[in-house]
Amino acid sequence: MFSKFIDHYALSALHKKKSSTTQFAIPVLPTEINREDFYQPDNPSFQTEVTADYQSNTYSFTSFIATEYPNNDFIKGEMFLQNNKGVTPNIILIHGWRMNSYNKLKSIYHDKMSSLGWNLYYFPLAYHMERTPPPSLYSGEFMISANLDRTVHATKQSIVDLRTLIHWIKQTQEGPIVLVGVSLGGWIANLAATLEAEIDGVISVFYANRLSHSIWNTIPGKYIKADFLNNGIGFKELIEHWGITDPSGSLPKIKKENILLISGKHDQYISLEDADHLWQSWGKPARHVYNCGHSGIVLNKKRIAKDTISFIQEQVLKIFNKED
């Protein structure tokens, strides 16, 4: 009960910022789309110019996907590289919905992973942080909304941008590449795992799975759901239009042994039923279910860090070193 109370309290604060006008737009994208083709840029090799600024600890590049907002199409993330000799793990950390900074991710992982000598890359999702367009009222408003097509395109842009970063790391570093996503970042990490073979491990923490399910059946989506209902869109139509964004609709391209899923038993942001659906669809990879709600991201951050790091050390790195 305490976990649910904390989640509900946090949700009341979350909903103090909501879209002031309808975000709905009549969809034009077809509902039958080839996944592999859709999440590829025009340049299938993902070759682009990535600028690495080692003094400011940042990397930057222009997205292959163009939108009407130039600042959303310019990716600038943080990176912290070690001067290690030999193979060094490369950890890409992906934040959650509506995040304004990487502080929550850093509070869980940064010091602990840095002390191990691992390279860290913080990746900004579409329409978040510095990528938030001027008309948007809050970070992430335009990534997930009642604008069906824009949500799909934002998902595509986030995946293509993430894959661009992955391929750049693959070209410049020797060690394994591991995605660590939290909440919405876990959903993106899971979706990327079904599309990108150049990943060596995925740890997904309190992850979303089917966007349609999350918007229709959980409290965070209630205003977006209301926007849909006001415009005649039901759950069935939502499933059809957002099916292309469903990680459980395809199997991962990496080994099941290199996937760790972490969920909260009392999560009010993300349905445990939907998290179970992904786990079962993927053949039941390694999993932890904590006795907490979504607030466990903060309350259980030491345990999250310990389980994540242990899995990378004991599973991902061992398999990578054997195959190398």
Side-chain angles (χ1 to χ4, degrees), residues 55-270:
Q55 289 188 330
S56 64
N57 293 317
T58 60
Y59 65 87
S60 59
F61 59 91
T62 300
S63 178
F64 283 109
I65 310 299
T67 68
E68 61 182 299
Y69 304 108
N71 68 308
N72 177 55
D73 301 340
F74 184 72
I75 296 86
K76 185 176 182 180
E78 296 182 17
M79 66 176 185
F80 300 86
L81 306 186
Q82 308 290 335
N83 294 318
N84 297 334
K85 293 181 180 179
V87 173
T88 301
N90 299 282
I91 315 298
I92 301 177
L93 296 135
I94 312 170
H95 63 83
W97 188 35
R98 300 173 63 137
M99 290 296 100
N100 292 305
S101 74
Y102 302 112
N103 290 343
K104 188 172 289 186
L105 279 174
K106 287 181 177 179
S107 70
I108 300 171
Y109 293 118
H110 192 88
D111 290 345
K112 293 178 177 63
M113 288 185 170
S114 294
S115 68
L116 293 169
W118 294 358
N119 294 331
L120 305 181
Y121 304 81
Y122 292 89
F123 174 74
L125 295 170
Y127 296 111
H128 282 79
M129 301 186 203
E130 293 182 19
R131 302 180 69 175
T132 304
S136 178
L137 296 180
Y138 57 85
S139 175
E141 179 186 17
F142 285 8
M143 181 168 181
I144 299 177
S145 70
N147 188 319
L148 289 159
D149 286 356
R150 188 177 63 198
T151 298
V152 172
H153 281 298
T155 305
K156 175 180 179 176
Q157 186 176 44
S158 295
I159 290 293
V160 170
D161 295 343
L162 178 58
R163 296 181 72 183
T164 301
L165 176 61
I166 290 167
H167 281 254
W168 176 66
I169 295 172
K170 192 71 175 180
Q171 294 164 10
T172 57
Q173 302 292 335
E174 296 182 1
I177 298 173
V178 181
L179 305 184
V180 177
V182 175
S183 194
L184 188 73
W187 164 66
I188 285 290
N190 292 341
L191 185 57
T194 69
L195 297 158
E196 181 55 64
E198 298 292 353
I199 301 170
D200 299 288
V202 170
I203 294 90
S204 191
V205 181
F206 296 179
Y207 55 91
N209 180 36
R210 295 169 292 187
L211 282 186
S212 55
H213 191 282
S214 294
I215 293 303
W216 215 258
N217 297 305
T218 66
I219 301 171
K222 69 176 184 178
Y223 290 110
I224 299 175
K225 177 182 178 180
D227 204 352
F228 281 130
L229 289 173
N230 288 337
N231 287 280
I233 297 294
F235 188 39
K236 182 179 178 181
E237 290 86 357
L238 194 56
I239 292 171
E240 292 174 351
H241 283 286
W242 281 357
I244 190 70
T245 70
D246 178 4
S248 58
S250 185
L251 292 175
K253 291 185 179 292
I254 68 172
K255 293 180 179 179
K256 183 175 72 173
E257 293 76 15
N258 281 5
I259 298 170
L260 173 63
L261 304 176
I262 300 176
S263 298
K265 184 177 180 181
H266 306 292
D267 199 326
Q268 300 299 294
Y269 285 64
I270 293 161

